[in-house]
Amino acid sequence: VGVRGPAIEAGAGRRRRALPGPEHDTHFDVDAQARFWTAEWTVGAQSNRMGARLQGPLLWRLRHDELPSHAVGPGAVQVPAQGQPIALRVGAQTTGGYPRIAWVIAADSSRLAQGEAGARLRFQRGTLRQAGDALRQAQEERQALSRALALWA
């Protein structure tokens, strides 16, 4: 029918594209930032539909004060005081108080939700423009799939 699945580059199955979060530069030093973007993370056993508890290098914060409640949602990557990130999933709460080091782009948020305990992933830093392009591509692929499925109805 001429429909192909989502474009996946070699090794991209574990990659989650993300943007730096609002507290990326203010609450984390350059070493913690580099560890976040270069490390391979493992989805922990305590993960659920609200969030993936990630195991990997500790991300020590520059500031240890908790933040006033702020907006969070699926894709937000928060870092509690113990230094292990939590990537929020589809069942995430709407407010939180931990610093957000990153935010997974909308086009990759469903792939974030699919990671079971023991799954490994990496974060790839992107730009707002790349996030918009990826979202448009994902929407086009879904529309093409819908058209193809309509042929079989």
Side-chain angles (χ1 to χ4, degrees), residues 34-51:
R35 282 193 299 279
F36 176 77
W37 296 110
T38 60
E40 181 174 75
W41 299 95
T42 302
V43 176
Q46 293 180 328
S47 300
N48 56 33
R49 68 185 307 271
M50 290 185 68

Side-chain angles (χ1 to χ4, degrees), residues 8-94:
I8 297 178
E9 304 164 19
R14 295 193 298 200
R15 176 194 65 177
R16 304 297 179 267
R17 294 168 291 183
L19 303 175
E23 292 80 37
H24 181 272
D25 296 332
T26 59
H27 282 67
F28 303 95
D29 65 21
V30 292
D31 292 332
Q33 293 169 17
R35 282 193 299 279
F36 176 77
W37 296 110
T38 60
E40 181 174 75
W41 299 95
T42 302
V43 176
Q46 293 180 328
S47 300
N48 56 33
R49 68 185 307 271
M50 290 185 68
R53 293 189 171 268
L54 304 178
Q55 299 170 339
L58 296 177
L59 302 178
W60 297 119
R61 298 170 9 189
L62 290 172
R63 298 173 54 183
H64 297 286
D65 55 322
E66 295 305 322
L67 301 170
S69 290
H70 53 257
V72 296
V77 182
Q78 297 183 303
V79 182
Q82 45 79 336
Q84 292 289 281
I86 301 169
L88 300 184
R89 293 176 166 174
V90 69
Q93 70 274 15
T94 58

